[in-house]
Amino acid sequence: MKHTYIFLFSLLAFLTAACSNDDLDKESIFDGTEQTDSTPLDQWVKKNFTDPYNIRFLYRYNDKETDNYYNVIPADYNKSVALAILVKHVWMDAYTELLGQDFLKTYSPRIYQLIGSAEYNASTGSIVLGTAEGGIKVTLFRVNDIDVDHPVIDSDSPYPNTDAVPIDLNYWFFHTMHHEFCHILTQKKDYSTDFRTISSANYQRASWINIKDKDAGVKGFVTGYASMEYNEDFAETYATYITHTEEAWNQLLENAIQVKLDENEDTIFTYDKNGTKYPVYDYSGYDAIVKKLNIIRDYFQKQWGIDIDKLRTIVLRRSQEVKDLDLHTLN
């Protein structure tokens, strides 16, 4: 408080001296006109997001729309243009193609906020992929790491390289958007409580950050983050399934099968009628993921009329089409 008082006192003295010695200019530095949408991206957003869906796409930095706990940087304009085109083509148009425009008009988040850098949580060592606030706003990070000329969308690997630059758009954006949108939908219509019991003994609310994605399957989770708690598990399983090929999903399931070990960490074997020795496998992780997906498939079909297999086909096709998109030009 002492430093504040000193600053205010000095400023007051300066202003008093200035007023006593100089005449004020009668011309205001403000012209009285309102700032209008002035860039091609503003006009494109109005046409493609705001007018049809009542969505605001905020690419300019706005401290009121960000978490001031983190140090972040604004999104680059040209990369914001690219992401706007990508969000429309791969995410929004996928749902519209399957369900019609009214679905997103009703349930889409109303604000997208772009941030150029990531949010790093020093206390846990984690990186925030995206946030959704009350079904109203979704924030996307690391926009400035997009390669506009050579966009990367990896739908084939269940374990993407999260450290790679240029970044994988599937992991950093599309997976995140399906995940956050899933939260929005489940907040409006809840899913079966049976889902919560499948892996109830294995959730790691405090230590999920220590579980690598490749190791999560044997515990019944598609990613390490899914092991945090059941709502994140539901959204992660949905988003992972929607954004990956059948081959990638099957690889994830296969990796969830574990060889059984005894108390000495030695492989447990069984023998067939001919005396041939085979290792015994633990399918509990595999079974848990399959059960969860079945509940998710049933939920989306019955509550929303969404066939997640058809939606995945559309998402994957549109992801492949990105290589032919002009991400520099707004049409």
Side-chain angles (χ1 to χ4, degrees), residues 147-179:
D147 187 335
V148 178
D149 296 308
H150 303 95
V152 177
I153 299 181
D154 180 9
S155 302
D156 298 316
S157 172
Y159 312 113
N161 182 359
T162 59
D163 295 324
V165 177
I167 59 175
D168 173 19
L169 302 175
N170 203 44
Y171 175 78
W172 286 98
F173 298 121
F174 304 133
H175 175 104
T176 299
M177 295 184 72
H178 286 292
H179 176 110

Side-chain angles (χ1 to χ4, degrees), residues 139-151:
T139 303
L140 299 173
F141 302 94
R142 294 197 72 183
V143 175
N144 293 356
D145 288 327
I146 296 173
D147 187 335
V148 178
D149 296 308
H150 303 95

Side-chain angles (χ1 to χ4, degrees), residues 98-139:
L98 181 65
L99 301 165
Q101 201 174 57
D102 287 344
F103 182 77
L104 283 187
K105 283 183 179 179
T106 304
Y107 298 110
S108 175
R110 297 305 171 206
I111 301 172
Y112 292 90
Q113 173 70 60
L114 306 190
I115 300 296
S117 58
E119 284 187 348
Y120 296 93
N121 191 326
S123 62
T124 63
S126 61
I127 299 177
V128 178
L129 295 185
T131 60
E133 300 176 23
I136 301 298
K137 183 177 74 174
V138 170
T139 303

Side-chain angles (χ1 to χ4, degrees), residues 205-225:
R205 177 173 289 276
S207 58
W208 67 267
I209 190 66
N210 298 319
I211 300 177
K212 296 180 180 179
D213 290 346
K214 290 184 178 181
D215 299 330
V218 297
K219 294 294 186 180
F221 304 109
V222 294
T223 65
Y225 185 53

Side-chain angles (χ1 to χ4, degrees), residues 178-206:
H178 286 292
H179 176 110
E180 300 300 350
F181 191 49
C182 182
H183 281 317
I184 291 172
L185 296 180
T186 57
Q187 287 168 10
K188 295 182 181 298
K189 298 180 182 180
D190 201 2
Y191 51 90
S192 171
T193 55
D194 291 344
F195 185 96
R196 307 173 189 184
T197 66
I198 295 173
S199 295
S200 58
N202 292 323
Y203 287 120
Q204 307 286 328
R205 177 173 289 276

